[in-house]
């Protein structure tokens, strides 16, 4: 029997993490067309509202019901504005492990939202869902994402050489693939002690498949 994540909402001091909704389509499309998102993730470029709608209405529900993962909208508590997205993928229910990724909208960066959302998700996974391991993978040159991993208490486990494809702008304005290394991070329940004490600062991106 396949296990699945529940349809849930997670609240923090400033944020609400909830299931994606069709009302998120315009904001998601705008966020995914950002230069930094294009550089560090595999989100198709240009990213259309049709692509956002398919993600929200087809891809995300299929990931959850199949047990593979979970996609959550990250919104500001006061304004309801879409801050970003948290994604759980490659979930292994036997060993209670999953991979965590995050994207933050350009206007919301520098507020510590990625760290706050990732930490809240980790606390929920380890507490309510009884998970034993969370993994993050960051491109070797993506220092902002690495800072988020460090702030929530992740431990760097090593480097996957030449395992990541990032993207750079070419002279004609298109995107070209460039190979780089992945840094692998892990978070265990015992690593969370004290992780929420200092979460101000930067936001970043992990690999987004």
């Amino acid at each position: 029997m396949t296990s699945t994540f529940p349809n849930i909402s997670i609240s923090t001091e400033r944020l609400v993490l909830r299931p994606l909704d069709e009302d998120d389509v315009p904001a998601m499309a705008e966020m995914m067309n950002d230069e930094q998102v294009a550089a560090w993730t595999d989100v198709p470029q240009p990213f259309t509202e049709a692509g956002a709608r398919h993600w929200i209405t087809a891809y995300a529900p299929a990931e959850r019901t199949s047990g593979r993962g979970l996609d959550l909208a990250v919104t500001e508590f006061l304004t309801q504005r879409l801050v970003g997205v948290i994604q759980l993928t490659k979930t292994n229910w036997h060993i209670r492990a999953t991979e965590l990724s995050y994207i933050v909208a350009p206007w919301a960066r520098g507020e510590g939202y990625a760290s706050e959302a990732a930490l809240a998700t980790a606390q929920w996974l380890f507490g309510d869902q009884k998970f034993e391991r969370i993994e993050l993978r960051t491109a070797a040159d993506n220092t902002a994402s690495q800072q988020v991993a460090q702030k929530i208490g992740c431990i760097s486990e090593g480097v996957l050489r030449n395992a990541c494809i990032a993207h750079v702008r070419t002279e004609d304005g298109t995107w070209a693939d460039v190979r780089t290394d992945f840094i692998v991070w892990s978070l265990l329940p015992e690593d969370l002690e004290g992780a929420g004490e200092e979460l101000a600062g930067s936001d970043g991106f992990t690999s987004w498949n």
Side-chain angles (χ1 to χ4, degrees):
M1 180 177 177
T2 301
S3 297
T4 60
F5 290 113
N7 260 322
I8 50 91
S9 292
I10 303 170
S11 297
T12 71
E13 182 178 350
R14 301 182 297 169
L15 303 172
V16 175
L17 284 64
R18 57 160 175 77
L20 289 161
D21 184 89
E22 282 197 72
D23 289 342
D24 298 320
V25 165
M28 174 181 275
E30 181 180 358
M31 175 173 62
M32 296 302 176
N33 280 304
D34 174 65
E35 292 278 315
Q36 292 296 314
V37 175
W40 296 118
T41 78
D42 285 331
V43 172
Q45 297 296 324
F47 193 80
T48 64
E49 289 198 0
R53 186 169 288 103
H54 179 267
W55 185 334
I56 291 168
T57 62
Y59 172 77
E63 285 292 287
R64 192 187 73 81
T65 56
S66 69
R68 289 189 297 266
L70 181 68
D71 295 67
L72 293 172
V74 181
T75 63
E76 281 189 322
F77 178 76
L78 293 177
T79 67
Q80 313 299 310
R81 191 175 181 185
L82 186 69
V83 167
V85 181
I86 288 278
Q87 186 182 50
L88 304 178
T89 58
K90 304 173 186 174
T91 304
N92 186 318
W93 291 94
H94 177 63
I95 63 172
R96 311 298 287 191
T98 192
E99 184 174 322
L100 185 148
S101 307
Y102 40 82
I103 289 179
V104 174
W107 65 268
R109 292 173 198 154
E111 301 295 330
Y113 284 150
S115 302
E116 188 171 330
L119 180 62
T121 304
Q123 291 170 332
W124 172 73
L125 284 168
F126 292 147
D128 291 3
Q129 298 297 299
K130 309 303 180 187
F131 268 57
E132 296 294 335
R133 174 183 169 87
I134 299 171
E135 185 173 302
L136 288 79
R137 297 187 180 193
T138 63
D141 295 328
N142 192 348
T143 55
S145 189
Q146 292 160 28
Q147 289 172 356
V148 172
Q150 291 169 335
K151 284 180 180 180
I152 67 172
C154 292
I155 304 299
S156 176
E157 291 187 333
V159 176
L160 298 178
R161 297 186 301 161
N162 218 30
C164 174
I165 295 179
H167 310 93
V168 295
R169 281 280 194 188
T170 62
E171 291 184 359
D172 62 3
T174 59
W175 290 96
D177 294 350
V178 291
R179 297 199 73 95
T180 185
D181 299 337
F182 261 142
I183 299 176
V184 180
W185 306 80
S186 66
L187 190 67
L188 306 183
E190 57 265 31
D191 298 328
L192 281 186
E193 296 181 11
E197 295 176 1
E198 295 184 9
L199 285 180
S202 64
D203 295 291
F205 311 86
T206 62
S207 174
W208 199 274
N209 296 317

